[in-house]
Amino acid sequence: MPQNEANVVQKSGVPWLIIIAGCLIALLTFGPRSAMGFFQLPMLAEKGWDRTTFGMAMALQNLFWGAGQPFFGAIADKYGTWRVLLLSALFYSSGLVMMAWATSPGILYLGGGVLVGLGIAAGSFGVILSAFARNVSAASRTFVFGIGTAAGSAGMFVFAPISQGLIDRFGWSDGLVYLGLAMLIVPILAIPLRGNSSSGRTKEAQYKQSIGQALKEALAHKSYLLLTTGFFVCGFQVAFITAHFPAYLGDIGIDATYAVLALALIGFFNIIGSLASGVISQRYSKPKFLAFLYIGRSILVTAFLLLPQTGTSVIVFAILMGLMWLSTVPPTNSLVAIMFGTRYLGMLGGIVFFSHQIGSFLGVWLGGYLYDHFGSYDPVWWLGVALGIFAAIVHWPIEETAAARPALQPAE
């Protein structure tokens, strides 16, 4: 076969052991961080800290999650996924325990912010989905990405009631310790995912590049830059809701049980939305689909803020937001793979996700900061609406095509 064709050799069947193991890890690593909002009010009541303090810890968590992902992705690409997932378990577990025993805001920032953030980065979607990409054909890739994203969504659904139950029974501090111990299961589950970018079941003729050359190519690619810019908005929107929605509902006089129910519903319907996203974006334009998702979020938040806010409206909001929650992840990662292939997918996808996490940092931090200054979360809600419209505009012109390159040659 000519060298300029991307030859693909795929063993028959889907590697279900790898998919199942990766999905369980995604469930575990996404679960506790999605339930951080439940720990905010009991922690602050006991410690006497304000919401800006908690917001800064969660903002640092999101920032280090994003900053660490390109590096952990590159390490996984070169040295293997299992090693990176072992680091994830160690960082995540120690960070949650330090957060539980924090005696000052600085320790909270280090544990719940830096260490947990690095733990999530090492065990996040970028690392898991890159392992999937190496083991499935391009025709199945977006669908499998949807399955992996749905598993992370299931973590939100599963850990919302678990976290509230741990708080009710053992208190917020011991609850965090138990969650930290649960993270030590990750290296065992990660055994089927061992291997690096050269050892997957799917082999592609790869364009010979160094890491530096791959970065230079990506940072000069217009569609990649637009994708990276737009994903910032996703992070801003979902991180703000994750960290502050329980407190927001308490402020407007809605019973706390609706906060648990809302985050659980977001997680459950996120499973459906992620799976549907994998199917839809496999068949239709990924950039256009992303644009419609961001417009849909802005319309939903606007309706939620302007219409009467009741327990019923919270449930409806949670269901519809859940359908759009992480539906952006499968098409976004697939677009990176389409543009540049899978060799540096962990790193290049990690850079896109870093933009997501800068948005997360601002969404979480501004939520606490503006609340403490204005006594309301409304400014951040409306900023999220405006950003959703901006993201739709940015995604529309993205081209779903591979980067223009000379003839492909097998990478050495």
Side-chain angles (χ1 to χ4, degrees), residues 160-180:
I162 287 177
S163 298
Q164 188 61 59
L166 288 172
I167 293 170
D168 292 341
R169 182 164 184 179
F170 302 107
W172 68 268
S173 181
D174 287 349
L176 286 171
V177 172
Y178 286 123
L179 292 180

Side-chain angles (χ1 to χ4, degrees), residues 39-58 98-110 112 172 176 371-372:
F39 294 90
Q40 177 176 182
L41 295 183
M43 174 188 287
L44 299 184
E46 179 176 322
K47 298 293 185 179
W49 301 329
D50 58 19
R51 296 192 193 188
T52 301
T53 300
F54 185 85
M56 177 58 76
M58 296 302 100
M98 186 176 291
M99 181 180 178
W101 295 341
T103 55
S104 68
I107 297 176
L108 174 65
Y109 298 156
L110 177 60
W172 68 268
L176 286 171
Y371 179 90
D372 286 337

Side-chain angles (χ1 to χ4, degrees), residues 5 76 215 235 249 276 278 301 356 364 407:
E5 295 184 15
L215 284 171
L249 294 183
V301 171
H356 182 284
V364 174

Side-chain angles (χ1 to χ4, degrees), residues 139 142-143 276-286 400:
T142 308
F143 174 67
S277 173
V279 174
I280 294 169
S281 55
Q282 189 75 48
R283 299 181 180 183
Y284 302 101
S285 168
K286 296 174 183 61
E400 192 174 338

Side-chain angles (χ1 to χ4, degrees), residues 36-193:
M36 289 290 100
F38 294 113
F39 294 90
Q40 177 176 182
L41 295 183
M43 174 188 287
L44 299 184
E46 179 176 322
K47 298 293 185 179
W49 301 329
D50 58 19
R51 296 192 193 188
T52 301
T53 300
F54 185 85
M56 177 58 76
M58 296 302 100
L60 287 170
Q61 181 186 111
N62 281 282
L63 186 63
F64 276 86
W65 175 6
Q69 189 159 320
F71 296 99
F72 287 122
I75 293 170
D77 289 340
K78 185 172 177 123
Y79 297 106
T81 302
W82 186 85
R83 290 181 174 87
V84 171
L85 291 173
L86 173 62
L87 290 175
S88 172
L90 296 177
F91 280 130
Y92 213 145
S93 181
S94 60
L96 287 172
V97 171
M98 186 176 291
M99 181 180 178
W101 295 341
T103 55
S104 68
I107 297 176
L108 174 65
Y109 298 156
L110 177 60
V114 177
L115 291 180
V116 172
L118 291 174
I120 303 168
S124 66
F125 289 124
V127 173
I128 301 300
L129 298 187
S130 295
F132 286 3
R134 297 194 301 266
N135 289 280
V136 299
S137 66
S140 303
R141 192 173 290 148
T142 308
F143 174 67
V144 171
F145 284 0
I147 295 175
T149 306
S153 308
M156 186 174 188
F157 173 70
V158 170
F159 276 85
I162 287 177
S163 298
Q164 188 61 59
L166 288 172
I167 293 170
D168 292 341
R169 182 164 184 179
F170 302 107
W172 68 268
S173 181
D174 287 349
L176 286 171
V177 172
Y178 286 123
L179 292 180
L181 293 175
M183 294 304 101
L184 297 178
I185 302 171
V186 167
I188 299 172
L189 295 173
I191 292 173
L193 277 72

Side-chain angles (χ1 to χ4, degrees), residues 279-324:
V279 174
I280 294 169
S281 55
Q282 189 75 48
R283 299 181 180 183
Y284 302 101
S285 168
K286 296 174 183 61
K288 303 299 187 293
F289 179 59
L290 285 165
F292 288 132
L293 283 174
Y294 286 110
I295 285 290
R297 286 184 183 178
S298 292
I299 292 172
L300 176 60
V301 171
T302 298
F304 179 66
L305 295 177
L306 295 181
L307 295 174
Q309 293 176 311
T310 64
T312 300
S313 72
V314 168
I315 291 173
V316 173
F317 173 81
I319 291 171
L320 295 177
M321 183 58 75
L323 292 173
M324 296 181 283

